[in-house]
Amino acid sequence: MSAPVLVTGLGWIGPHGVGAGELSAALAAGRPQLAEVDRGGGLHRPAGARLAGLVPADRLAAEVPAALARRMSYPSRLAVAATRAALADAGLVEKEPGFATTAIVMATAYGPVRITEQLLDAILRQGPEQASPSLFTESVASAPASQMALFCRALGPNLTLTQRKAGPLLALAEGARLIARGLADRVLVGAVDELTPLLHALLDRFRFLARPGAAGGEAARPFDRRRAGAIATEGAAVAVLESPAAAAARGARVRARLLGAWGAFDPSAPPLGWGREPARLAAAARRGLARYGLAPDAVDRVVASASGSPGGDRLEAGLLRALFAGGPPPVLAPKGTLGEFGGGLLAAAVLAAGGDASWPTAGFGEPDPDLAVVPHDGAPLRAPRLVLASAVAAAGGAAWAVLSPP
Amino acid sequence: MAAARRPRIAITGIGAVSGYGAGVETLWRGLLSGVSAIREITRFDPGRHRTRSASEVPAEAVPPPPFRGASLAGGVALAALAEALAGAGLPAGFAGREAGVYFGCSTGGTFETERFHEELTGGGGRPRLHWLVSHQTSGPGDAVARACGATGPVTTISSACASATLALGGALDDLATGAVDVAVTGGADALCELTFAGFNSLRAVDPVACRPFRAGREGMTIGEGAAILILEREEDARRRGARPLARLLGAGASCDAHHMTAPDPSGQGIRRAIEATLADAGVPPGRIDFVNAHGTGTPLNDAAEAAALAMVFGERLARLPVTSTKGAIGHFLGSAGAVEAVATVLCLGARLVHPTPGGGEVDPAGPVDLVLGAPRPLPAGAVALSTNFAFGGSNGAVVLAGVAEEEG
């Protein structure tokens, strides 16, 4: 990335509501918004997870009314809802001429789960002739990005990344790359994931989720000694990236400057587990900062991906300790409030860079002496100069982004 | 980074597993033969489906699962990786050089997920979770990164059938900007009933075998396999004594924003992707010596692609060789761009354009100079365009160039 790109809009839909304003309020309040999950499928552990962050149906229906939602999968509707919010926040109107050079880069961890379940059920149990063409079209991971392009007639490159928790920040990197290469002058970058009862049950059986009987109860407790897993969450987030020239041409309000974004991999990680080499990841983070002319001591705010995962938070804490020799600057852990959804991290990082960055860490109460990272308690902080967003994923992926105020 | 300021990016190793079997030599022999690797499906019972043919990786070319829960797609990806690294003369770990993985994948471990779903709904007790270990589309790319010891960025693009082509753009840029020293790029996908039934539900599958660009074509044929390309800055490669097989000159993309499955019939979206790619490569249309087309064999896609090629190349299209690797090994879906890039590298190296299997006359409504029957000769240092397009109108293309013998 040769020059910073500007973040000129932010859209979000999640358990707490719709839009950057409601997201900001939710983070400031530090209150998770949880709902009971249907466990009727019988696949959950008997004493397993019961709660998740689910998007209120009425809020989604208000954002994507039936006529617009026709033939859209649930994640496509989430993505379009976040797109509408992002465009409104950016002062843009869909299908205006600027979308001829607008690209879309979305990340998803699980893709369209509900439709995949329905298709598999139809094909394997009822017979292949029961496969619905409209369901199949929406079963690909890229369907939400395609529906976004149709919604605003975005004619630039259209990419979908599937790199688990690292995906949303890698999407930022890809979006900035498209602008730097001259392939777009505006990019809608984001993430979308849905949560079905079956997916929730599987995450529970793979022991990724907090559960009621754990020491800390069923809550996301980032960096806390009692953490026992994440709270699975669904939603969508979309940020509007623009080249400085494109933003200036329309007099856009700037929320943040994206100085750089990059990824790395820890090959010591097993396919479903966490890497064991935080120092290696810290070195990669340091190299990335250096590529943009920055040093770790210039970072005065971290937005971490910690979600209450015993292994994941340990890896990220080790990374932060290794990266910041004198201890990390204030660490925000928004997944305590928002749950495990990568789009929440991306959106929180944009808000943090804009100065809205003193959130408490929901679920945190007891420091873990093994981690030696204490997330922020909500006390007022002065506006940051440089925000490092950090994402560490199971299976080895990691990504970072550095943002600064406008 | 534009081509004029970009260091030369060399392809120094390639690997592939396809319906012809394991290895790039096997692939090349098959492509030259003009006989497709499309046969009746054995992986599952095709009798339940509307059509029965695909291009499956032969059983003897499917490596044993490297771990419990490994997907078939991940397994063939690792086989292709081993071949590509050996060809490039690079050790796993890359001797301390920073390596990234840029992958395309559409189905991931869906074949294995189907086994899980059968157990889930079959009433035979609790389904086994190991079937899902490699479910996600990032699985094959992650497996490749783990196996080769990559520590740089690892990204899987899952933009349906354009995935691996789009991934090449990221690899090109990260090498050009110095973010990585080695880019391992490619893709892997495995045949599964969901995809097979899904494309059949769209009536997009030819009942026998695909016939790209032919009049009377009825659809695509699904393929499977993996392909890997090792990319380095040419200066670095030559410094360590490696001879480039070909060069990646540029990459570009666009979106039709027209329809979720059908391409824009005008071809304008495809045209914009091709023109962006040529501009990125710094190559005028007149310099392209052949096109390895997306060429699925569906009536709508081939027509839109022919229209786009006509807009880009004008009257010259009548004598510009066009081939479709999909006619030989089927449609690899998300990994199509990878295996077609490998096929293009093989064409450039041998200075021959492989023929496109499939019977019938070229469609007069979308005429292209389709290479039929025998391979077509190429000049030294030829330049090729390779295209791939996806559901939702996501279009990608790359420009590749051969290395003339006198360049060493």
Side-chain angles (χ1 to χ4, degrees), chain B residues 31-35 214 354-357 370-375:
Chain B
L31 292 172
L32 284 183
S33 74
V35 177
R214 307 314 207 284
H354 75 72
T356 305
L370 195 64
V371 179
L372 296 169

Side-chain angles (χ1 to χ4, degrees), chain B residues 246-268:
Chain B
R247 296 183 181 112
L248 176 60
L249 299 186
S254 73
C255 184
D256 285 0
H258 169 76
H259 188 271
M260 282 300 287
T261 50
D264 177 353
S266 73
Q268 290 290 352

Side-chain angles (χ1 to χ4, degrees), chain B residues 175-367:
Chain B
L175 281 167
T177 59
V180 298
D181 301 313
V182 180
V184 179
T185 182
D189 273 298
L191 186 64
C192 59
E193 286 206 73
L194 188 150
T195 309
F196 193 70
F199 278 111
N200 268 302
S201 76
L202 292 168
R203 299 296 186 263
V205 182
D206 191 296
V208 181
C210 63
R211 291 164 284 162
F213 295 110
R214 307 314 207 284
R217 62 190 178 275
E218 292 187 53
M220 62 188 285
T221 297
I222 296 180
E224 66 170 2
I228 298 280
L229 302 95
I230 308 293
L231 275 58
E232 304 171 71
R233 288 180 291 276
E234 183 166 334
E235 185 181 358
D236 296 347
R238 290 195 182 277
R239 193 178 301 124
R240 68 178 184 84
R243 183 184 180 278
L245 302 173
R247 296 183 181 112
L248 176 60
L249 299 186
S254 73
C255 184
D256 285 0
H258 169 76
H259 188 271
M260 282 300 287
T261 50
D264 177 353
S266 73
Q268 290 290 352
I270 297 171
R271 174 193 62 76
R272 285 186 287 102
I274 293 172
E275 289 180 348
T277 304
L278 294 174
D280 187 61
V283 168
R287 183 69 183 84
I288 295 294
D289 294 295
F290 82 100
V291 177
N292 191 338
H294 182 50
T296 57
T298 66
L300 295 179
N301 178 82
D302 289 4
E305 185 167 19
L309 293 174
M311 283 185 275
V312 173
F313 295 104
E315 292 180 355
R316 186 167 168 261
L317 184 61
R319 54 186 189 284
L320 177 64
V322 173
T323 192
S324 166
T325 302
K326 291 182 181 75
I329 56 172
H331 191 335
F332 273 37
L333 305 176
S335 50
V339 75
E340 290 163 27
V342 165
T344 304
V345 169
L346 292 168
C347 289
L348 293 166
R351 293 170 55 185
L352 291 170
V353 185
H354 75 72
T356 305
E361 298 300 311
V362 173
D363 188 350

Side-chain angles (χ1 to χ4, degrees), chain A residues 273-317:
Chain A
W274 300 94
R276 298 180 297 275
E277 302 195 25
R280 175 181 278 185
L281 291 180
R286 194 175 294 113
R287 283 197 302 275
L289 285 167
R291 201 176 305 137
Y292 302 109
L294 302 167
D297 60 9
V299 174
D300 59 355
R301 201 70 35 92
V302 172
V303 181
S305 64
S307 61
S309 156
D313 290 12
R314 179 180 301 279
L315 179 63
E316 189 164 29

Side-chain angles (χ1 to χ4, degrees), chain B residues 51-89:
Chain B
T51 63
R52 306 172 67 95
S53 302
S55 181
E56 281 181 336
V57 173
E60 63 274 17
V62 177
F67 57 88
R68 184 173 160 84
S71 68
L72 195 157
V76 292
L78 294 183
L81 171 71
E83 183 184 24
L85 287 176

Side-chain angles (χ1 to χ4, degrees), chain A residues 35 37 39 43-45 47-53 110 195-215 217-221 226-234 274 307-310 339-341:
Chain A
V37 173
R39 291 165 50 95
L43 198 60
H44 284 82
R45 289 187 288 169
R50 296 175 176 277
L51 301 175
Y110 301 106
L195 190 64
T196 68
L198 177 59
L199 176 58
H200 190 265
L202 293 171
L203 294 171
D204 180 48
R205 294 211 72 83
F206 277 116
R207 299 174 188 270
F208 291 155
L209 303 182
R211 59 193 187 282
E218 191 173 3
R221 299 191 180 280
R226 301 162 296 167
R227 69 192 185 281
I231 295 289
T233 296
E234 64 181 11
W274 300 94
S307 61
S309 156
E340 180 56 275
F341 161 56

